[in-house]
Amino acid sequence: MSAEFKVLILAGVLLLCGIALLLPKAQDAVAKLPRHRLGGIVLTCLAMAWACWTLTIHPIDFLAFLSPTKILIGGLILTPLICIFLENLLCARALGGIMMLWPMPVILATRDYVSCLRLIPITIGYISLTLGMIAVFHPWTVRVVCEYLSENKHVRLLLAFAFILASMLCVIAMCSFGKVVGQ
């Protein structure tokens, strides 16, 4: 998958997040998001599948002893255990896990381009990575932020426009990709 396509997917997701925050029912959805049970299960399954796939493709040194089969079995065992034992704020934790997982392919794909605009998706990726770690390790902060966003329409609109602006900046950065370092 090319760097342009990965950045285009990122831009699309950012645009959808911005549009979702502009919808009339966004207030209730944002308020219920951290404790949404089914959403938490679906996002946990997605995050665990993604983590297993990433470990298979890009192994980590201290986990090098794990074969793809062991990674798959571990993921199949851990996913229901996470859904059972981390039920409180599961959706917030799973969302944080996805926020920590998506930057790696985008950063790896864009870091070799000559354009200085490549720093836009890379910066968005590192911001997402940092916020994802906060969401996984302190999920109650996601609940507090979601409560604040559901109560303050102007802040929610500002965040929506920030998502849309970030999406546009990613598209601009994608259009600037051309020459790769070393070619």
Side-chain angles (χ1 to χ4, degrees):
M1 194 179 318
S2 69
E4 290 86 359
F5 187 68
K6 290 176 183 176
V7 174
L8 188 61
I9 290 173
L10 167 61
V13 169
L14 290 170
L15 182 65
L16 287 175
C17 289
I19 291 171
L21 286 173
L22 292 174
L23 296 175
K25 296 195 179 218
Q27 179 178 359
D28 293 333
V30 168
K32 295 176 183 176
L33 177 70
R35 294 190 187 273
H36 194 270
R37 179 80 177 132
L38 182 60
I41 291 171
V42 169
L43 289 176
T44 299
C45 291
L46 177 65
M48 287 300 291
W50 195 344
C52 290
W53 175 75
T54 302
L55 271 177
T56 304
I57 302 298
H58 303 287
I60 300 173
D61 289 341
F62 71 91
L63 296 175
F65 66 93
L66 293 175
S67 67
T69 306
K70 289 179 183 177
I71 292 171
L72 176 65
I73 292 170
L76 291 173
I77 292 171
L78 286 176
T79 302
L81 291 176
I82 289 170
C83 292
I84 292 168
F85 292 115
L86 297 176
E87 180 181 358
N88 188 26
L89 298 172
L90 180 65
C91 193
R93 286 184 176 98
L95 190 60
I98 290 172
M99 289 172 66
M100 289 188 324
L101 286 167
W102 78 259
M104 187 185 93
V106 173
I107 290 170
L108 289 176
T110 58
R111 69 179 175 184
D112 293 333
Y113 284 91
V114 176
S115 171
C116 65
L117 292 177
R118 70 184 164 80
L119 296 176
I120 293 170
I122 290 173
T123 303
I124 292 171
Y126 279 116
I127 290 170
S128 175
L129 182 65
T130 305
L131 294 175
M133 285 189 273
I134 292 169
V136 168
F137 297 117
H138 305 288
W140 55 89
T141 58
V142 175
R143 181 183 48 83
V144 171
V145 168
C146 285
E147 287 174 1
Y148 181 75
L149 285 174
S150 69
E151 295 168 0
N152 298 308
K153 181 180 181 180
H154 297 295
V155 177
R156 196 171 57 250
L157 291 175
L158 185 65
L159 183 63
F161 288 121
F163 275 125
I164 293 169
L165 177 65
S167 173
M168 286 189 257
L169 289 173
C170 284
V171 170
I172 291 169
M174 182 197 68
C175 292
S176 75
F177 291 170
K179 189 174 179 185
V180 176
V181 175
Q183 287 185 348

